[in-house]
Amino acid sequence: MSQPLPLPALHASHAGTWLRDANGDTRGCSKGEAVMAAADTPLLLMNAPLVASRLGYPDLSGLDVLELFAFVHPAEFCVPTPKGLAHALGLVEPEDDAAVPLLLQQAAGALVAVCESAEWAQREGAWSTLQSLTRLRWPWAQVLSPHVRKPERAEKWLFSRLPEWEDAPERPSPAQVMIDEPEIEAHLERLTGEGAERREGQRLFAKGAGSVFAPRDRQKRPHVLLAQAGTGIGKTLGYLAPASLWAEKAGGTVWVSTYTKNLQRQLRRESGRAWPSARPDGSPPVVVRKGRGNYLCLLNLEDALQGGFAGRPAILAHLVARWAAYSQDGDMIGGDLPGWLGTLFRKRGIAALTDQRGECVYAGCPHYRKCFIERSARSAAQADLVIANHALVMVNAARGRDQGGRPTRIVFDEGHHVFDAADSTFSAALTGQEAIELRRWIVGPERNSRGRRRGLSARLADVASYDDAGGEAIEAAVKAAQELPSEGWLGRLAEGAPLGPLEALLAQVRATTYARDESGQEAGYGIETETAQLPGELVEAAMVAAQALAAIRQPLQKLGGRLEAVLENAPDWLDGQGRARIEGARHSLAWRVDLLAAWEALLARLGGPADPDFVDWLAVDRNDAREFDIGLHRHWLDPMQPFAKVVLEPAHGVMLTSATLTDRGEEGPDWPHAITRSGAPHLDLAPKQVEAASPFDYAKRAEVLIVTDIRRGDLPALAGAYARLIEASDGGVLGLFTAIRRMRAVYGRIADRLARTGLPLYAQHVDPIDTGTLTDIFRDDARASLLGTDALRDGVDVPGRSLRCVVMESVPWPRPTILHRARRAAAAAAEEGGAKRHDDRIIRARLAQAFGRLIRTREDAGHFVVLSSAFPSRLLSAFPEGTPVLRVTLDEALQRVAKGVGAEDPNATDSAMEREQT
Ligand code: SF4
């Protein structure tokens, strides 16, 4: 048993503040006293930004135990709460807030003791990192130095320790095989394991899923299956069974695409039943693939370690380097890098270490052979199963680097999100932020910026010196790109002094959007206006801007042609690595050319007749009254049109599955609408359908309460209702809001009151903690409650007691945006009553998703509460069949929540209570 570290410790929550002397007692103190103590001497604390926000003192710093944890145990999981830390280190949970400072001393003592231990699994590299951290004055460095011994032999630094990936020949096309139903059933039984209960729904579902793996009969006519699988039928193994059978027999790759990171994690776990973690040759049969922006870029990290970052961000870079040496796959967002690490350092350090701007120099990079992104792309090309997300699958299908790597057998799980993912993937936005990114990619860094970021001419210097025409094209593109917005553009626009044709256009966009704004009380949030009846000045500015864009696109196009020529008549000096680099450059050039062409098309339409396939608008994006982007937007009216062309048409088999694939209208599941939303009709395809109902007993395990006496807009009443519901349920509440502002206001009113009764409350957009970590905290503490907005409605998977009540602030009406209005109008034109049906579908889908958070397993039970005096009965069909729905007053709701689901209802005949069966 290690000794507590004898240093003073501080803990602050909504319930109060506690200080503990180095060797003495813990006492409650005022916030002011705590701030003074922290300024005097570095205190042990946990999650400095969170403590700072509790104390209302943003500059707080100290010895953060979480930073120490990240140093000692890189790539290990820890929920960043006192209880979570105690669990991670095998210590006794603190009983209350007052016991936390002692826990911090114990935890620090335990971590320091690990450094002394011979069994420290992550010792390699620690001493060297500590030397760098000492130079950077990391507060822990002095404490740790006597405890981390110098290794006998010099430690290899990260970049020589990481393994290299190996090139493998391209996988041959998959064999044309049939998998029959008895085979699928037998395989499913093997996967579910001996003695597992036989689930008819799952068998039916698995057999249906098998149909998408049959050989295709005709070109451009994939097998398409829509499979609705109620929660709890075991859908994941249901499709993994035929997928793994097919992958084995055919030697092909199946892509499973999800919308949330949660499901990706679950899939990785469950795929372990069908595949080993490694093949005999060591290669992984299952690979998780994410967008480039998720992974650590080693070149950026090297830059950061060698002076690119200074001060606190430099300390973060060293802790990230520690992690990189132990990480499974270099995934920084949702992988094994603790989600809380970045937020401890407040600035956007994590993002700067990823390859977010597409500046990768491929084979020109000294770390290319060790690059996490390249490794994951190569492993995916050889894998049996690739776990990806909807956006990546669509982007890969649209502009994948090589034909062989494009997905052809795809399972879209969480299929109800495919429409939204297609909507954003196939949209175009010409905004200041987007344009400035393009400028940086072409021109390179602006003055004063540190690091390796280089423009096109530096990246292709060898081509420029070898091929005159290529060199000229680069020069012309760089010159033309000077006309794009540059740093400080938002300020210049606000002052009415735009620079160059693009900024001039954005200034017009801004002026027009403000001139037409009628949002009134929504001031401070984003505003938008349609692109109809635009002022002449704006149309003129658009024409000039379009010419400026064309002047960038043309030389880029020409450069693409020159690169192709260089590859065809390769000079002697062009080795394999050089080739790969030029291939990479050609690929990224091609999609910048497409981007510019899309922007030009967007501008060409302004002032002319509307294209019925698209919805265009102008927008000023604001956050808390601060503008952060301005520009023009274009979305497809039906994004499933490009989806059908780009994703479905080249595929051989595609399955869309979800618990809520169809809208549950009053007449039952609406399959025709689900078919339309799949994109299949654009290819004249009639998808197969499968449906397996949930085995859960919703009638006994859940109850929907519609609270009718909270007036809309009455904020004190809304906050009071949340607080009382959380108290009645003794925590375990997920509170969902449609507006961040209201959520913040409710949180501000009730957090202290709840904390005093030992009920911690967390909130997205308020607590300086990322959403994934907030969910971990919520899951880990059965008395905690969590407030959030859209992302939580669908991304939270918390089975068990930790989530026993969902409270929605109101009926989730769709926001009347320009895009929504256009789609609503299209629905109205398509059928009588279409507009209302369109809105109802959106609301029911949201209700069904939110309700889906409540019952995750057969044992779960709980209440779903909507605080709405006017909840139309036609929306009740959103809830699973048999779920009891009651319209009640808040007091009645509190009684029921306090009692829990399944208790006898003494007022069942009360006329004030309308019981409706869905
Ligand atoms: S290859 Fe590209 S992404 Fe990979 S480390 Fe190098 S620059 Fe970064």
Side-chain angles (χ1 to χ4, degrees), residues 404-422:
R406 294 192 184 184
T408 56
R409 272 79 178 176
I410 315 168
V411 176
F412 285 102
D413 201 337
E414 299 180 309
H416 56 284
H417 278 302
V418 167
F419 184 92
D420 290 338

Side-chain angles (χ1 to χ4, degrees), residues 645-858:
K645 185 87 197 139
V646 170
V647 181
L648 290 185
E649 197 176 274
H652 289 242
V654 177
M655 167 177 174
L656 274 80
T657 181
S658 158
T660 53
L661 206 55
T662 61
D663 172 42
R664 274 190 295 260
E666 283 165 305
E667 305 83 37
D670 183 355
W671 279 103
H673 180 68
I675 292 170
T676 310
R677 295 271 283 200
S678 73
H682 291 294
L683 300 180
D684 273 337
L685 291 170
K688 284 196 186 151
Q689 295 147 36
V690 173
E691 193 174 356
S694 168
F696 296 162
D697 187 355
Y698 288 106
K700 293 221 174 76
R701 310 299 298 172
E703 208 168 66
V704 175
L705 303 175
I706 296 170
V707 174
T708 52
D709 56 351
I710 304 293
R711 255 189 325 113
R712 212 186 149 143
D714 185 347
L715 190 66
L718 183 70
Y722 264 98
R724 292 176 68 196
L725 283 162
I726 291 171
E727 283 161 353
S729 139
D730 198 30
V733 171
L734 175 67
L736 296 173
F737 288 77
T738 47
I740 297 178
R741 206 171 21 163
R742 251 187 329 270
M743 184 197 71
R744 283 195 179 131
V746 166
Y747 176 88
R749 281 170 181 262
I750 66 175
D752 289 4
R753 157 179 169 183
L754 291 170
R756 282 194 291 273
T757 50
L759 294 168
L761 181 66
Y762 297 90
Q764 238 190 333
H765 311 289
V766 177
D767 289 312
I769 302 175
D770 65 288
T771 306
T773 305
L774 279 176
T775 313
D776 290 337
I777 293 175
F778 178 53
R779 184 184 294 115
D780 196 49
D781 185 349
R783 297 198 79 205
S785 294
L786 175 60
L787 306 183
T789 53
D790 276 2
L792 291 185
R793 196 179 56 226
D794 215 4
V796 172
D797 184 17
V798 179
R801 254 187 71 70
S802 287
L803 200 175
R804 49 195 178 272
C805 182
V806 175
V807 182
M808 284 193 108
E809 63 156 333
S810 65
V811 178
W813 304 104
R815 270 187 48 219
T817 60
I818 288 171
L819 185 60
H820 172 253
R821 228 165 52 204
R823 292 195 175 132
R824 195 172 188 269
E831 55 171 339
E832 213 191 303
K836 186 152 155 252
R837 204 159 299 144
H838 179 75
D839 284 355
D840 287 355
R841 280 180 183 133
I842 294 174
I843 303 167
R844 280 194 292 255
R846 290 178 180 174
L847 288 170
Q849 285 157 21
F851 180 88
R853 304 305 101 213
L854 190 61
I855 311 288
R856 309 299 297 162
T857 69
R858 211 180 276 273

Side-chain angles (χ1 to χ4, degrees), residues 137-314:
R137 298 173 197 272
W138 183 42
W140 279 108
Q142 272 198 343
V143 180
L144 279 182
S145 280
H147 305 279
V148 179
R149 71 176 145 73
K150 187 174 178 184
E152 278 153 28
R153 269 182 294 146
E155 292 175 320
K156 282 192 193 167
W157 84 315
L158 169 72
F159 302 100
S160 32
R161 282 181 59 203
L162 288 174
E164 294 198 343
W165 45 259
E166 282 173 27
D167 253 331
E170 209 172 283
R171 247 186 161 193
S173 295
Q176 301 298 322
V177 297
M178 288 296 279
I179 46 172
D180 55 35
E181 294 192 347
E183 253 183 307
I184 295 174
E185 285 195 68
H187 194 52
L188 180 64
E189 228 157 90
R190 269 200 300 282
L191 297 189
T192 46
E194 294 241 330
E197 92 189 87
R198 200 181 151 97
R199 294 194 268 187
E200 274 320 310
Q202 189 184 36
R203 297 160 77 85
L204 179 83
F205 179 84
K207 287 188 280 188
S211 69
V212 300
F213 297 102
R216 198 167 64 171
D217 299 328
R218 280 169 53 199
Q219 205 190 359
K220 301 186 179 176
R221 307 212 33 100
H223 299 287
V224 179
L225 172 75
L226 305 185
Q228 178 144 283
T231 313
I233 74 140
K235 123 173 95 76
T236 317
L237 279 185
Y239 58 69
L240 287 182
S244 54
L245 256 185
W246 178 83
E248 189 192 336
K249 275 184 137 186
T253 307
V254 178
W255 286 62
V256 177
S257 177
T258 77
Y259 191 71
T260 61
K261 294 202 166 93
N262 267 332
L263 184 58
Q264 286 197 343
R265 274 198 283 264
Q266 187 195 327
L267 267 162
R268 198 197 252 279
R269 264 197 320 271
E270 296 219 11
S271 65
R273 299 205 196 192
W275 285 277
S277 60
R279 300 189 181 107
D281 68 357
S283 64
V286 177
V287 172
V288 177
R289 273 278 267 147
K290 295 189 176 174
R292 299 184 69 86
N294 287 272
Y295 295 94
L296 172 67
C297 165
L298 293 171
L299 192 54
N300 280 349
L301 176 65
E302 185 186 3
D303 234 24
L305 296 176
Q306 296 187 337
F309 281 14
R312 290 275 296 161

Side-chain angles (χ1 to χ4, degrees), residues 292 297-299 355 360-362 365 367-368 371 373 452:
R292 299 184 69 86
C297 165
L298 293 171
L299 192 54
D355 177 44
C360 172
V361 289
Y362 298 97
C365 165
H367 310 301
Y368 183 58
C371 172
I373 304 173
R452 74 171 171 98

Side-chain angles (χ1 to χ4, degrees), residues 879-896:
F879 304 112
E881 237 176 288
T883 313
V885 179
L886 292 94
R887 290 180 192 266
V888 291
T889 61
L890 178 62
D891 285 338
E892 287 162 340
L894 292 169
Q895 282 175 24
R896 300 194 76 84

Side-chain angles (χ1 to χ4, degrees), residues 545-561:
Q547 282 166 7
L549 294 175
I552 306 171
R553 177 179 49 78
Q554 284 149 0
L556 288 184
Q557 242 163 345
K558 194 160 161 209
L559 178 60

